[in-house]
């Protein structure tokens, strides 16, 4: 059954070279959009925005024809951007963002830990899906890439060795993370790199920050990813 929990649990990181180009991509689409929210607000500790439960299921089909599902009851705040980057990216509550944010929240958002699809895809493919869904929702390409960079750099990661499970990340000052994001934003706006190039660029940034924390020199020679899915 497409989109079943068993299928999602076994999904690998997407290695497709072509991503959704926007709402005109025939293989990329939302089903039952726009997102429909209930009327009862939910406030979660540490989150400034108000969350609302979805009143009906929303599905996104990506460029690989894989279905991503946010079931009814999924909590979403229409954002998904890490708080530390809001001053750089802006408050992401535009109508062109909310459908993508709802799908992203179902897979990794706070408040949805008991949801049917929570963490049933890898963090890499989930953040790539977020970019695709932003594009299909009407977000301009450069803006979508900047938002993708924000979730890749500072968003949740799971099933990996390092990062959120690595105690060093807590020691990276917000000002350093913000500086890395500002540099990434400038790079994207200047060169419009591909999503894989953005990932490699951010991996190098993270490697530099970890190297500084370890008191060593910046190690920039290795172009490979820092984190490997378990």
């Amino acid at each position: 059954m497409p989109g079943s929990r068993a299928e999602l649990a076994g999904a690998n990181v997407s290695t497709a070279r072509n991503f959704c180009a926007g709402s005109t991509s025939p293989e990329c689409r939302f089903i039952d959009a726009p997102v429909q929210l209930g009327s009862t607000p939910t406030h979660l500790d540490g989150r400034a925005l108000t969350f609302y439960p979805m009143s009906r299921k929303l599905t996104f089909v990506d460029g690989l024809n894989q279905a991503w599902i946010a079931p009814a009851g999924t909590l979403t705040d229409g954002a998904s951007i890490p708080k530390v980057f809001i001053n750089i990216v802006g408050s992401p509550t535009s109508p062109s963002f909310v459908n993508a944010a709802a799908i992203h929240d179902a897979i990794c958002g706070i408040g949805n830990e008991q949801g049917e699809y929570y963490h049933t895809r890898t963090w890499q493919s989930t953040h790539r899906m977020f970019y695709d869904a932003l594009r299909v929702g009407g977000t301009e390409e450069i803006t979508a890439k900047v938002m993708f960079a924000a979730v890749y750099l500072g968003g949740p990661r799971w099933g990996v060795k390092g990062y959120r499970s690595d105690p060093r990340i807590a020691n990276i000052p917000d000002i350093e993370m913000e500086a890395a994001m500002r540099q990434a934003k400038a790079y994207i706006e200047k060169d419009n790199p591909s999503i894989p190039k953005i990932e490699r660029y951010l991996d190098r940034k993270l490697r530099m920050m970890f190297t500084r924390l370890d008191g060593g020199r910046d190690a920039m020679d290795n172009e490979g990813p820092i984190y490997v899915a378990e």
Side-chain angles (χ1 to χ4, degrees):
M1 173 182 175
S4 68
R5 185 177 180 87
E7 176 186 313
L8 297 183
N12 294 319
V13 177
S14 168
T15 57
R17 293 186 178 181
N18 52 333
F19 291 81
C20 297
S23 57
T24 59
S25 301
E27 71 277 15
C28 304
R29 61 196 185 277
F30 283 102
I31 300 172
D32 294 328
V35 63
Q36 298 292 314
L37 302 178
S39 59
T40 304
T42 299
H43 299 279
L44 300 178
D45 290 342
R47 300 301 292 264
L49 297 177
T50 300
F51 287 73
Y52 289 88
M54 293 173 54
S55 61
R56 72 177 184 187
K57 180 175 75 173
L58 176 68
T59 301
F60 176 67
V61 181
D62 66 15
L64 297 176
N65 203 35
Q66 294 179 336
W68 298 75
I69 298 171
T74 297
L75 289 178
T76 183
D77 61 357
S80 282
I81 299 301
K83 182 179 179 181
V84 68
F85 299 143
I86 293 296
N87 288 337
I88 302 168
V89 178
S91 184
T93 55
S94 163
S96 67
F97 304 160
V98 293
N99 290 330
I103 299 291
H104 195 255
D105 284 340
I107 306 299
C108 62
I110 186 172
N112 295 309
E113 294 83 357
Q114 304 305 314
E116 181 179 359
Y117 297 100
Y118 188 80
H119 286 186
T120 53
R121 293 274 180 89
T122 63
W123 64 265
Q124 298 98 323
S125 60
T126 298
H127 296 337
R128 284 186 168 200
M129 175 279 301
F130 182 58
Y131 169 77
D132 277 350
L134 285 169
R135 294 289 286 124
V136 173
T139 304
E140 189 269 339
E141 182 180 4
I142 295 296
T143 300
K145 285 181 175 178
V146 170
M147 293 178 69
F148 165 79
V151 298
Y152 188 93
L153 181 61
R157 299 187 179 199
W158 56 93
V160 296
K161 296 176 180 177
Y163 204 65
R164 289 302 182 192
S165 61
D166 190 322
R168 295 179 300 173
I169 193 65
N171 296 325
I172 296 178
D174 284 353
I175 191 171
E176 191 169 347
M177 291 288 282
E178 290 173 2
M181 185 61 219
R182 290 187 189 279
Q183 292 163 4
K185 183 173 184 284
Y187 165 56
I188 292 167
E189 291 175 342
K190 178 178 181 293
D191 294 348
N192 190 19
S194 67
I195 293 298
K197 284 185 177 179
I198 294 171
E199 292 171 337
R200 290 194 295 271
Y201 174 89
L202 295 173
D203 281 342
R204 292 196 298 272
K205 288 290 184 186
L206 286 167
R207 185 178 295 109
M208 289 173 63
M209 289 188 281
F210 281 141
T211 301
R212 282 194 289 271
L213 282 176
D214 291 339
R217 65 179 179 84
D218 290 345
M220 296 291 290
D221 295 334
N222 186 352
E223 292 289 328
I226 306 171
Y227 310 107
V228 179
E230 293 178 333

